[in-house]
Amino acid sequence: MSTTVTKTLQATFAPPTAHKQSKLNDLLETYRDGLQEAFDAGASTMSSVSDIVTPYDLPYQAKAALCNYVPKLRKTYNAQDLDDEHPIRLTNQAAKFDHSEERDYEFTWWVPRPGRGTNFWMPLRINPEQEDLWHDLVSEDAKAGEIRLQQHRKNWVLHVTVEYPVEEPAADGDATHIGLDIGETALITGCALKDGSPTDPFVCSGSRAKHLRKEMHTTLKRLQERDASEWRTDERFDHYQNALTDIVEKASREAVEYAKQFENPVLVMEDLTYIRERLDYGKYMNRRLHSWAFARLQGRIEDKATEAGIPVEYVNPAYTSQTCHSCHRIGRRDSQAEFRCPNDDCHVSTFQADINASANIARRVDPWGESVPLDKAGRDDSPRDGSGCDTATTHREKSVPAQMTLTAYEESKPSTSDD
């Protein structure tokens, strides 16, 4: 039995000629003018948006995307203002790609323009890890969704949402439950349960991510205090986000590779829905916890596991780090790295704390144990403001539920760009 997976492919334009650059700039400026006018007019239906954007010199794929998007700005996003850096949105009718091994840049995109004979081919620099999906997109084995084109200071970035079928993950026979504990010092700690015992644990260090988040907080704070130019602040923010995204991608890949070594693996993670709103440990700890990209990391693990045919389960996170995995008594952590069991009759006296937690996470999917299954269909691991970014400190103002300023496009779950 198969299921459909959605992923966002990302490509960067090869440096365009001056003529193509001019065409791209005109397209972007005209699109944003049409978007702003339709928004300012309060257009709330597709027909009312169409009346406004029809006179604009835009390709029909952009006009159709605006007709669908603008009504959502107030109804769905409650936007009161628009950021001036919106990407160009295009319907999947603009998904015309070509491939040839004879070119320096093998993949190209037929950039839509208004009028007859005005379209042009743009060479793409793709992520090599996404090459198979780009081939599927060209051959139409993968179905294209919305297309977004964003201009950065030095380049143009294309995002293409694609849907493709994969075999639905299913555990055949006796499953090997593998708990994954997401943390700070150890970004991921994995532990498989064999006959109830922790087996062959896996640890992915979080020191690099921790250092980057701290550095990002300090750097952006100093830039704000010095009233630095917006482009410089944006540039530094993007730098840290790209570095953190790279860490998330590599860590999630390692976790899934770890799971593959076991027979009939099932990955188990804590359901951390809205944990940011529930925690209040003071200003310093809150900043650290709020900068913890658990939603993005869990999402990428689940995406990669689904592609590999590995089921993913979510369980209640309560007391996983404070319970002995063997006798199930509540113990204590004398240090961040060590768990101590209070039961003198238990063979566990002290244990590595994160491995103990991951073993407890794995054990909770057992319906005859203390499993507390949660409704996966109703969970939302993304931050409440919709951001997919690590936000130790950011120059981007966070939205409030009732009234928000729609910021420039940022990837978030289920955005699944496999960078």
Side-chain angles (χ1 to χ4, degrees), residues 121-166:
W121 289 105
M122 177 56 65
L124 302 176
R125 294 170 168 167
I126 68 164
N127 181 345
E129 295 182 3
Q130 296 179 336
E131 183 173 353
D132 288 345
L133 275 177
W134 279 104
H135 282 291
D136 290 344
L137 191 59
V138 171
S139 64
E140 299 184 354
D141 290 334
K143 181 181 178 182
E146 184 185 63
I147 297 174
R148 296 181 296 275
L149 178 61
Q150 178 74 59
Q151 183 185 32
H152 296 300
R153 286 188 61 246
K154 298 180 180 179
N155 52 41
W156 293 80
V157 179
L158 183 72
H159 294 93
V160 185
T161 303
V162 296
E163 292 184 353
Y164 57 98
V166 297

Side-chain angles (χ1 to χ4, degrees), residues 6-9 130 299-300 303 411-418:
T6 301
K7 177 172 286 191
T8 300
L9 303 183
Q130 296 179 336
R300 297 304 292 132
D303 292 335
E411 290 291 347
S412 59
K413 190 180 183 299
S415 166
T416 50
S417 175
D418 200 358

Side-chain angles (χ1 to χ4, degrees), residues 38 48 93 100 143 196 201-202 228 241 256 270 292 307 342 346 366 385:
S48 61
Q93 294 166 308
S100 173
K143 181 181 178 182
F202 151 79
Q241 288 305 308
V256 174
E270 295 174 312
W292 176 31
E307 291 178 4
C346 179
D366 179 5
D385 64 4

Side-chain angles (χ1 to χ4, degrees), residues 28 31-33 35-37 39-40 69 73 77 79-89 150-152 230 234 395-397 404-410:
L28 180 61
Y31 177 88
R32 288 176 175 170
D33 287 345
L35 171 63
Q36 190 69 56
E37 182 179 350
F39 180 80
D40 290 343
Y69 178 59
L73 290 176
Y77 304 117
Q80 300 302 309
D81 294 297
L82 289 183
D83 188 277
D84 58 3
E85 295 187 2
H86 267 278
I88 300 171
R89 282 176 166 79
Q150 178 74 59
Q151 183 185 32
H152 296 300
E230 184 177 350
D234 283 340
H395 61 288
R396 303 172 192 267
E397 291 296 322
M404 68 176 281
T405 298
L406 198 67
T407 60
Y409 171 77
E410 295 173 1

Side-chain angles (χ1 to χ4, degrees), residues 47-339:
S47 60
S48 61
V49 176
S50 179
D51 292 339
I52 295 171
V53 301
T54 294
Y56 279 83
D57 195 23
L58 288 170
Y60 68 91
Q61 300 95 330
K63 293 179 181 180
L66 283 171
C67 289
N68 182 59
Y69 178 59
V70 173
K72 295 179 181 178
L73 290 176
R74 296 192 193 279
K75 291 181 179 179
T76 304
Y77 304 117
N78 297 319
Q80 300 302 309
D81 294 297
L82 289 183
D83 188 277
D84 58 3
E85 295 187 2
H86 267 278
I88 300 171
R89 282 176 166 79
L90 302 161
T91 63
N92 61 357
Q93 294 166 308
K96 186 174 182 180
F97 299 93
D98 186 59
H99 173 262
S100 173
E101 295 181 353
E102 298 179 359
R103 293 190 292 255
D104 290 337
Y105 301 98
E106 295 185 11
F107 290 89
T108 56
W109 177 44
W110 189 235
V111 182
R113 289 275 297 157
R116 241 175 155 37
T118 58
N119 293 11
F120 58 92
W121 289 105
M122 177 56 65
L124 302 176
R125 294 170 168 167
I126 68 164
N127 181 345
E129 295 182 3
Q130 296 179 336
E131 183 173 353
D132 288 345
L133 275 177
W134 279 104
H135 282 291
D136 290 344
L137 191 59
V138 171
S139 64
E140 299 184 354
D141 290 334
K143 181 181 178 182
E146 184 185 63
I147 297 174
R148 296 181 296 275
L149 178 61
Q150 178 74 59
Q151 183 185 32
H152 296 300
R153 286 188 61 246
K154 298 180 180 179
N155 52 41
W156 293 80
V157 179
L158 183 72
H159 294 93
V160 185
T161 303
V162 296
E163 292 184 353
Y164 57 98
V166 297
E167 288 301 313
E168 188 171 1
D172 299 323
D174 294 331
T176 302
H177 294 124
I178 303 164
L180 296 181
D181 182 49
I182 312 296
E184 262 204 315
T185 303
L187 193 59
I188 304 175
T189 304
C191 183
L193 283 188
K194 288 285 191 179
D195 298 322
S197 299
T199 303
D200 194 16
F202 151 79
V203 179
C204 177
S205 173
S207 58
R208 175 61 177 161
K210 188 175 180 180
H211 170 76
L212 281 172
R213 291 196 299 266
K214 182 178 179 180
E215 185 179 300
M216 179 174 69
H217 167 72
T218 303
T219 301
L220 295 181
K221 183 178 180 181
R222 287 175 178 171
L223 288 172
Q224 290 172 333
E225 290 172 348
R226 296 172 184 174
D227 197 24
S229 60
E230 184 177 350
W231 72 262
R232 185 176 296 278
T233 308
D234 283 340
E235 186 178 62
R236 296 313 298 165
F237 181 81
D238 290 341
H239 164 76
Y240 288 114
Q241 288 305 308
N242 290 336
L244 289 165
T245 296
D246 184 61
I247 290 173
V248 166
E249 291 300 316
K250 290 178 179 177
S252 57
R253 187 182 305 115
E254 288 178 18
V256 174
E257 289 299 320
Y258 165 72
K260 287 181 179 179
Q261 68 179 294
F262 299 100
E263 188 176 357
N264 297 324
V266 175
L267 285 176
V268 188
M269 293 186 285
E270 295 174 312
D271 190 303
L272 301 174
T273 305
Y274 304 149
I275 189 173
R276 300 180 186 208
E277 285 70 26
R278 296 201 302 264
L279 296 176
D280 185 10
Y281 294 135
K283 182 178 179 180
Y284 174 69
M285 280 304 297
N286 280 349
R287 173 171 66 79
R288 290 177 62 188
L289 290 167
H290 287 202
S291 72
W292 176 31
F294 65 83
R296 187 155 46 139
L297 182 52
Q298 284 190 332
R300 297 304 292 132
I301 292 171
E302 182 172 356
D303 292 335
K304 289 180 171 62
T306 300
E307 291 178 4
I310 300 174
V312 178
E313 301 286 347
Y314 288 85
V315 296
N316 194 321
Y319 301 105
T320 53
S321 63
Q322 302 173 46
T323 305
C324 176
H325 69 269
S326 179
C327 70
H328 317 323
R329 291 273 296 273
I330 298 295
R332 66 180 187 272
R333 294 178 71 161
D334 294 334
S335 67
Q336 180 66 25
E338 185 178 87
F339 169 84

